[in-house]
Amino acid sequence: MINLERNKLSLLISLSLAGAAAPALAQQAVDAGQLEEVSVMAQPIRDSQKAAIDAKRDADNTVDIISADTIGRFPDQNLADSLGRVPGLAIERDQGQARYINFRGAPFRYTSLAIDGLSIPGAENGRVPRFDSFPSVITSRIDSNKAIMADMPGSAVSGHINISTFDPFVKEGWAFSTDVGMGNQELGDGDIEKLALRTSWSNDNFGFSLFTSENSREQVTDNREYDIERTDSGEVLVNELDFRSYKVTREDRAYGGRFEFRGDGALERVFVSTLYNEFQDFEERNQIVFDFAGGAEAVGAPQATGAVAENQFALAGRALEYGLYENSTFTNTLGADFTLGDWHVESRLNFTETENNMFLPMPRSAGGFVMASFDVSDLLDPAVTGLFDPRAQAPIDVNEINYAVDLGMLIGTEMTIDATKFKLDAEREMQLFGQDAVVKTGFEMDAREADGFGMVFAYGGFPSDVNINDFATSEAWESQFSNGIAGATYYDNKGLRQAWSAAVGGLTLTPNDSQAIRLEEDITAGYAMVTTHYDWGNLVLGARVENTDYLSEGPTGNFEDSFTNVLPSAHLNVDLAEDVKLRMSVSTGVSRPTYAEWRGDDMVDFIQNSVSAGNPALEAEESIGADLSLEWYAGDASLLSAGLFSRSIDNVIYAQSDVIAGSAYLPEVGADYWVYTQYVNGSNGKMRGAEFNAIAQAADFLPALEGFGVSANLTLLDSEFETLDGTRHSLPGTSENIFNASVFYEMEGFSVRLNHQYRDDWLSTTENVGMNDYWAEQKRVDLSVSYDLPMDVFGAGVTLYANANNLTDEQDVRYTGDESNPNQVESYGRRYLAGFRMNF
């Protein structure tokens, strides 16, 4: 009876919304009296979970699905946040904001990203997907595929994420929705603004949708970085303390739409779609560095040991940056679906351009000489006090440090990828050995060109007619640390950059040939798969063949190569009972090097005394894996599941860094110590894990508690690979434990959800000597509350909502070796957002 009433309600709502556009028609369909008689309201959390669970149940592989309504009712800033709630997926953040996904504890590039089934290049280095700029307004659902099928890209070693965009034919006639929100970022008292608009129209044959989305967030990120060692006796040795305060404005926007014709004959549909999204991070950095090791060396004094020391010599440095990080994706698709005899055929032609740029002009002051006291008794809350100028024999504050030299530093990177893809898929039903079966086959051509340059550092003298100290303000640093630098104030970084640019006639960064990245890549793929249906379930057998041709250009010559990968897969889905499903899968994959890794040059940085060596001869990583899961569909909207998975990976790519004498690379630089980083292939990579997932609606078990529910998942992970010298490390991104839990209640239009996320420590990167930089465990507690008004407003259903993120005010900590040696801690405070959604 409850389901029947919900269906009636859905019908009445649809008719009433259509009536907003065509009142006469609506009056014929339903009158106000009928609407008033409805006493049972829909339950969006339950209904969206049911839709996602039903889709998971019907899938032929191991997949987790998130519906658009679920995304909208979590306090998520972007799709990365939403994906972080899926079993086995963990978030990696930048200054508190979710950006990347570690899919089952794997490096970022092991995950492929598709829009409406078409894979697109990662915005970073051609392989790494960014999820901090995709708006929820375009999303109807997200599929997180864990067992890879033959019709999915071979690059999906750990998983394949497909974002399905809004279908204008979901609702006939006009539809319009909007989401408007405003809020506050606690640290820095920053403004948060959110706006999303979507409209669509369709009849039996024609339909279109248009959307726009803009979000803006202002915040302060309070950052402390360290160079701390331990003596043989275990005492703290403070080499350097680095204090930074970032003023950040992050904006993302998206525009696009779809125009579609649906026919009744052999031509089923023709459509054209476009999506542009971009992310911009406007960043102001105020940074003061105290080099106690350098200060002691400069005066020939012994360096103090211990967590507390007074009146120590230190070399001081200052950096004041106003720069921009930005990335964008512009993807356009022309598609047609038609029947050809017994075959259903889908054809797609896609053009995608991604850009990823960074430009950080940074005035740097060096050679300050002070005496100071430090206290690192609390390693996560260091302090520097008692600044004293030994030359003037007088106490000073931080803005009165006298620097020996002012330099102008430009830091930048840039990459543009143009990709053209043609994809053709065909399937038909048939009898195979007396059983119903579906045969599917396809062909794909993907041509990409990458152009840009790697990380470039350029130094020069700062114009003498611009006095940096004139740009100091009286505004004190915003901080949640109890300690810090006494008297630290912000500078007018924007004004300083403008004065610098005007004095030199503009700021531009010109890379040399050794820093360039120019690469062409052509991937040709074909696949075939057969799904055979039995009374007890189905069996999916398939194979994919991918041929890769690439050309990497370098200053001393070009490197080109071609290789072919055969990627078989098998998926067995057994219905043990009406509500119990067993899944077993075997799949294979190939992960190609990023474009920076494949570049044909060595980037030499004389300022940092470092060399980063590309390696166009790198081999692609090859994987074979297995998945096993047991799923119990315990109720109308409840699920219990457990799974195991394993991946074996050969040719694991990692960055090997060593300290060398500069003369070993370039004789003219002498014997100074340099860091030489090169990309190489390791071996014997392994990923293993277990996943447990529970979605329980009280109504399915205890009707008296209808409205209450819980969603929880736990993932246990392990990974490792072997370097060329035989040592073993975990893969970057692998946390041993990932845990998510939500409790929620909804009834009569009101819903509240409290969510907790946790992941323990993980290797941050292999790009440092020793490969021992880790992020410490992270946890988040978020709250969302919403209320659906019981009446329409101007013919629209209205939902009021309020979200709160990071309620427990967590910090992000990174360390070297173990947690007794932190090298970074940053704080950014809580985030609050309130707004409304309207659906016409």
Side-chain angles (χ1 to χ4, degrees):
M1 183 65 181
I2 292 177
N3 288 337
L4 178 60
E5 293 296 333
R6 287 191 187 132
N7 291 335
K8 286 181 179 179
L9 180 65
S10 299
L11 175 61
L12 293 172
I13 289 175
S14 299
L15 291 171
S16 64
L17 293 181
L25 180 61
Q27 184 63 37
Q28 294 173 7
V30 59
D31 59 35
Q34 288 174 294
L35 286 173
E36 292 174 352
E37 292 175 359
V38 176
S39 58
V40 178
M41 298 190 67
Q43 295 177 282
I45 296 178
R46 177 184 176 89
D47 293 343
S48 61
Q49 284 187 342
K50 181 182 186 305
I53 289 173
D54 287 345
K56 174 183 175 72
R57 184 174 188 169
D58 294 338
D60 292 328
N61 65 327
T62 303
V63 61
D64 287 299
I65 295 169
I66 312 172
S67 71
D69 196 72
T70 298
I71 295 170
R73 291 179 181 271
F74 269 118
D76 294 339
Q77 301 181 53
N78 54 44
L79 292 185
D81 270 320
S82 303
L83 285 165
R85 306 181 192 283
V86 172
L89 275 65
I91 293 170
E92 188 152 325
R93 293 179 170 86
D94 178 74
Q95 299 192 40
Q97 184 177 340
R99 172 170 295 177
Y100 304 108
I101 293 296
N102 293 126
F103 202 126
R104 286 178 158 177
F108 306 137
R109 68 165 173 263
Y110 285 6
T111 301
S112 64
L113 173 64
I115 307 293
D116 289 326
L118 278 171
S119 60
I120 61 174
E124 287 191 16
N125 274 316
R127 311 295 187 209
V128 178
R130 290 277 298 260
F131 295 94
D132 49 3
S133 59
F134 286 100
S136 59
V137 67
I138 69 166
T139 307
S140 62
R141 80 180 208 184
I142 304 174
D143 291 30
S144 174
N145 295 278
K146 298 178 175 179
I148 306 306
M149 305 179 73
D151 59 350
M152 299 174 186
S155 57
V157 171
S158 61
H160 177 62
I161 293 174
N162 181 53
I163 300 173
S164 298
T165 60
F166 179 76
D167 181 358
F169 287 88
V170 167
K171 181 184 182 303
E172 188 172 358
W174 281 103
F176 178 82
S177 67
T178 183
D179 187 339
V180 179
M182 298 185 68
N184 176 263
Q185 186 75 33
E186 185 177 58
L187 186 56
D189 193 28
D191 293 332
I192 301 173
E193 299 176 357
K194 177 180 183 179
L195 173 64
L197 303 171
R198 185 183 67 215
T199 187
S200 66
W201 178 87
S202 67
N203 61 17
D204 290 340
N205 298 109
F206 292 93
F208 73 87
S209 63
L210 298 171
F211 66 84
T212 181
S213 171
E214 295 194 10
N215 298 283
S216 176
R217 298 165 294 280
E218 298 175 346
Q219 72 177 61
V220 165
T221 303
D222 205 9
N223 180 280
R224 304 290 183 263
E225 299 198 9
Y226 317 74
D227 180 357
I228 293 177
E229 298 180 48
R230 297 279 177 173
T231 66
D232 292 339
S233 60
E235 287 190 281
V236 173
L237 189 65
V238 178
N239 295 324
E240 184 177 280
L241 294 176
D242 185 342
F243 296 79
R244 307 183 188 191
S245 184
Y246 295 92
K247 285 187 173 183
V248 176
T249 300
R250 290 183 166 177
E251 299 175 352
D252 63 76
R253 56 191 60 87
Y255 316 101
R258 172 192 293 261
F259 294 86
E260 185 169 326
F261 165 77
R262 294 191 177 181
D264 301 320
L267 181 61
E268 297 178 1
R269 70 167 176 157
V270 177
F271 71 90
V272 59
S273 65
T274 184
L275 165 64
Y276 175 79
N277 67 274
E278 70 174 352
F279 170 89
Q280 292 183 307
D281 182 355
F282 299 90
E283 179 181 271
E284 297 180 55
R285 179 199 298 192
N286 283 253
Q287 176 184 8
I288 305 293
V289 180
F290 296 95
D291 180 359
F292 291 100
E297 182 181 2
V299 299
Q303 186 177 346
T305 58
V308 180
E310 296 183 350
N311 301 322
Q312 298 299 303
F313 291 102
L315 299 179
R318 175 182 62 190
L320 304 167
E321 162 234 317
Y322 177 60
L324 173 63
Y325 300 81
E326 58 183 342
N327 72 83
S328 65
T329 299
F330 186 32
T331 183
N332 304 274
T333 302
L334 174 64
D337 299 349
F338 52 92
T339 57
L340 193 62
D342 293 329
W343 290 89
H344 169 74
V345 181
E346 296 182 355
S347 60
R348 303 288 185 268
L349 180 62
N350 175 266
F351 303 94
T352 296
E353 180 184 71
T354 67
E355 295 185 350
N356 187 50
N357 305 318
M358 176 187 71
F359 184 51
L360 308 179
M362 188 181 303
R364 298 199 66 167
S365 303
F369 188 61
V370 299
M371 296 184 69
S373 303
F374 64 77
D375 185 346
V376 295
S377 300
D378 182 351
L379 282 171
L380 302 185
D381 197 0
V384 170
T385 57
L387 294 182
F388 187 84
D389 187 338
R391 295 188 180 95
Q393 289 293 299
I396 57 173
D397 67 34
V398 69
N399 289 335
E400 296 173 327
I401 297 175
N402 184 25
Y403 296 98
V405 62
D406 292 326
L407 300 171
M409 181 178 181
L410 301 179
I411 307 173
T413 183
E414 180 179 302
M415 181 175 291
T416 299
I417 300 170
D418 290 305
T420 301
K421 174 174 290 191
F422 173 72
K423 188 171 185 283
L424 189 69
D425 298 279
E427 68 175 88
R428 60 163 295 179
E429 297 179 353
M430 61 183 299
Q431 286 285 311
L432 189 64
F433 304 113
Q435 300 294 140
D436 292 334
V438 176
V439 176
K440 186 175 182 181
T441 186
F443 174 77
E444 184 176 306
M445 296 178 62
D446 191 350
R448 302 181 181 185
E449 294 184 5
D451 185 72
F453 53 87
M455 191 72 69
V456 175
F457 297 84
Y459 269 106
F462 196 77
S464 58
D465 55 344
V466 179
N467 186 353
I468 295 177
N469 291 333
D470 290 344
F471 293 87
T473 73
S474 59
E475 181 187 358
W477 281 15
E478 294 274 357
S479 179
Q480 290 182 315
F481 293 100
S482 57
N483 298 316
I485 316 171
T489 63
Y490 290 109
Y491 284 70
D492 177 10
N493 296 41
K494 295 180 183 179
L496 178 57
R497 172 173 169 173
Q498 291 171 353
W500 177 17
S501 179
V504 300
L507 299 174
T508 58
L509 187 61
T510 304
N512 58 47
D513 287 344
S514 72
Q515 296 161 330
I517 298 173
R518 292 181 293 272
L519 195 138
E520 296 178 7
E521 180 182 33
D522 295 310
I523 301 172
T524 305
Y527 74 90
M529 54 190 287
V530 178
T531 304
T532 307
H533 296 277
Y534 301 91
D535 293 339
W536 43 261
N538 65 37
L539 173 65
V540 185
L541 298 176
R544 185 180 185 90
V545 179
E546 294 191 350
N547 176 259
T548 306
D549 292 302
Y550 71 96
L551 168 67
S552 181
E553 300 180 20
T556 59
N558 299 336
F559 184 95
E560 57 185 316
D561 196 9
S562 177
F563 56 90
T564 301
N565 298 94
V566 179
L567 308 172
S569 61
H571 305 264
L572 180 66
N573 304 285
V574 181
D575 297 322
L576 299 179
E578 184 178 354
D579 54 0
V580 179
K581 186 179 287 287
L582 173 69
R583 301 185 190 271
M584 293 179 282
S585 301
V586 177
S587 58
T588 51
V590 54
S591 176
R592 300 166 185 85
T594 68
Y595 294 155
E597 294 165 347
W598 248 351
R599 72 179 186 269
D601 60 74
D602 292 355
M603 189 176 71
V604 183
D605 181 0
F606 289 94
I607 305 301
Q608 302 290 326
N609 286 2
S610 67
V611 179
S612 177
N615 183 358
L618 273 177
E619 296 185 49
E621 299 167 296
E622 299 177 345
S623 71
I624 181 170
D627 291 79
L628 173 67
S629 66
L630 184 64
E631 302 163 0
W632 176 32
Y633 297 86
D636 189 46
S638 298
L639 166 70
L640 298 175
S641 67
L644 301 172
F645 75 91
S646 176
R647 298 287 186 275
S648 294
I649 306 164
D650 197 17
N651 303 324
V652 175
I653 298 170
Y654 70 100
Q656 179 175 279
S657 296
D658 298 292
V659 176
I660 64 171
S663 57
Y665 188 77
L666 292 173
E668 60 267 29
V669 306
D672 291 341
Y673 288 111
W674 282 43
V675 175
Y676 183 85
T677 300
Q678 60 180 331
Y679 295 101
V680 295
N681 288 113
S683 60
N684 298 322
K686 292 181 176 59
M687 295 166 46
R688 299 170 289 258
E691 298 172 347
F692 305 92
N693 187 24
I695 300 173
Q697 296 273 349
D700 291 333
F701 304 97
L702 299 170
L705 297 178
E706 182 176 3
F708 287 96
V710 63
S711 174
N713 56 74
L714 170 66
T715 305
L716 309 177
L717 297 170
D718 180 42
S719 75
E720 63 179 4
F721 74 97
E722 188 174 313
T723 64
L724 293 177
D725 63 7
T727 59
R728 304 196 68 82
H729 300 269
S730 65
L731 290 168
T734 302
S735 293
E736 292 184 354
N737 301 285
I738 304 170
F739 177 70
N740 294 290
S742 296
V743 292
F744 55 86
Y745 173 79
E746 62 174 354
M747 188 62 69
E748 302 296 331
F750 172 79
S751 67
V752 57
R753 185 194 299 256
L754 183 67
N755 184 77
H756 176 267
Q757 290 181 307
Y758 171 84
R759 67 178 299 189
D760 63 9
D761 311 29
W762 72 96
L763 180 66
S764 171
T765 178
T766 64
E767 296 186 33
N768 57 77
V769 177
M771 290 188 283
N772 57 355
D773 272 5
Y774 291 84
W775 283 105
E777 64 178 21
Q778 291 185 2
K779 53 188 174 183
R780 292 292 185 277
V781 177
D782 304 325
L783 175 69
S784 61
V785 180
S786 66
Y787 178 64
D788 299 331
L789 296 184
M791 77 292 290
D792 285 353
V793 178
F794 300 114
V798 178
T799 299
L800 307 178
Y801 66 86
N803 299 334
N805 293 79
N806 194 25
L807 282 175
T808 53
D809 196 13
E810 301 296 332
Q811 298 175 327
D812 294 339
V813 178
R814 193 167 62 188
Y815 61 84
T816 301
D818 60 59
E819 292 187 66
S820 66
N821 288 316
N823 59 45
Q824 176 180 310
V825 57
E826 63 182 17
S827 177
Y828 32 80
R830 301 174 179 88
R831 174 183 179 270
Y832 305 99
L833 180 72
F836 64 88
R837 304 183 187 96
M838 298 182 69
N839 289 285
F840 292 86

